[in-house]
Amino acid sequence: AQRVTQPEKLLSVFKGAPVELKCNYSYSGSPELFWYVQYSRQRLQLLLRHISRESIKGFTADLNKGETSFHLKKPFAQEEDSAMYYCATHRYTGANSKLTFGKGITLSVRP
Amino acid sequence: DAGVTQSPTHLIKTRGQHVTLRCSPISGHKSVSWYQQVLGQGPQFIFQYYEKEERGRGNFPDRFSARQFPNYSSELNVNALLLGDSALYLCASTPGPFYNSPLHFGNGTRLTVT
């Protein structure tokens, strides 16, 4: 069964500090991995996905198959980055498609 | 640009009752997924429907069922409600059956079972 682990519930940093939100997965096969974000009073939305290899709002995430990790990083945190972040993995087998989310982590960026 | 809409926004039911939650996807999206989010947890997958057919099912009891209509809107039904069914129920839509395109989430329906 696929599983996503976000080991920390809360990360609090000062503005300008580096950020790393951890995500580990267990999956047999080639995973598709995503980070979703929920800002205060907004809907849950996609931040980035590993297949795109893109940087969104200064965030990047690299898939490390050896460590089965997909950590989200940003070199200099901004106050507007404060939000709830969820790591997720997609599994598709035949006609069955399933997206599994981790428990999420709250990022708090202090001025 | 109307996003995913869900109704009602809040609902209070008592144990043993039945509930129906509704979802309208973004125009042009043919896939709808349902998630349950309990306080302090991430969204947990319940169902995915594409072109009115079930394409995925999570680990939920048979009390949970869903369907998708010809206009791609969807209903989630929960029978014999338990206190543990209290949660935020999220609906999300995508153009096709796969998650290589972003999930667009609604604001959710907050269900409280007393």
Side-chain angles (χ1 to χ4, degrees):
Chain A
Q2 60 194 80
R3 191 178 303 140
V4 176
T5 303
Q6 294 182 252
E8 300 156 331
K9 287 189 175 182
L10 171 67
L11 179 63
S12 183
V13 302
F14 285 107
K15 176 182 174 181
V19 167
E20 182 179 65
L21 307 182
K22 291 180 168 46
C23 173
N24 290 90
Y25 65 92
S26 63
Y27 181 76
S28 56
S30 298
E32 293 180 39
L33 287 150
F34 309 84
W35 277 98
Y36 277 79
V37 62
Q38 186 165 26
Y39 301 102
S40 179
R41 299 177 185 175
Q42 293 188 27
R43 304 176 182 204
L44 192 59
Q45 59 187 290
L46 178 68
L47 179 62
L48 54 78
R49 47 190 171 174
H50 89 274
I51 59 172
S52 299
R53 292 185 159 272
E54 56 197 347
S55 173
I56 302 294
K57 298 184 179 182
F59 284 98
T60 59
D62 291 322
L63 177 61
N64 185 322
K65 290 187 177 181
E67 296 183 357
T68 59
S69 69
F70 187 57
H71 302 329
L72 184 68
K73 300 177 183 179
K74 185 169 183 176
F76 308 103
Q78 303 298 315
E79 289 179 65
E80 56 265 29
D81 296 328
S82 295
M84 192 78 182
Y85 292 80
Y86 295 94
C87 182
T89 180
H90 172 235
R91 180 176 185 182
Y92 176 70
T93 54
N96 197 307
S97 180
K98 181 177 178 180
L99 190 65
T100 300
F101 285 86
K103 292 184 178 181
I105 180 170
T106 300
L107 173 63
S108 174
V109 182
R110 293 168 287 171
Chain B
D1 177 24
V4 175
T5 57
Q6 293 186 242
S7 62
T9 54
H10 295 83
L11 203 51
I12 300 175
K13 292 283 190 177
T14 56
R15 280 176 293 176
Q17 285 189 316
H18 161 270
V19 69
T20 297
L21 310 181
R22 295 179 175 81
C23 171
S24 292
I26 289 174
S27 178
H29 285 196
K30 298 181 178 180
S31 175
V32 168
S33 301
W34 287 95
Y35 292 83
Q36 181 195 63
Q37 187 172 21
V38 175
L39 196 61
Q41 303 288 321
Q44 189 172 0
F45 175 75
I46 310 175
F47 287 110
Q48 186 202 13
Y49 275 78
Y50 174 68
E51 289 281 15
K52 296 170 286 182
E53 292 192 0
E54 183 182 298
R55 294 296 296 265
R57 173 182 283 257
N59 296 325
F60 280 81
D62 292 343
R63 300 183 296 107
F64 288 77
S65 64
R67 56 180 176 168
Q68 188 177 31
F69 299 99
N71 66 354
Y72 304 111
S73 66
S74 178
E75 283 183 354
L76 175 70
N77 295 285
V78 187
N79 292 323
L81 284 165
L82 303 175
L83 294 179
D85 295 332
S86 295
L88 179 68
Y89 288 85
L90 294 168
C91 174
S93 73
T94 51
F98 307 116
Y99 293 119
N100 51 359
S101 56
L103 279 173
H104 294 264
F105 283 90
N107 284 323
T109 293
R110 173 75 60 187
L111 172 65
T112 302
V113 182
T114 61

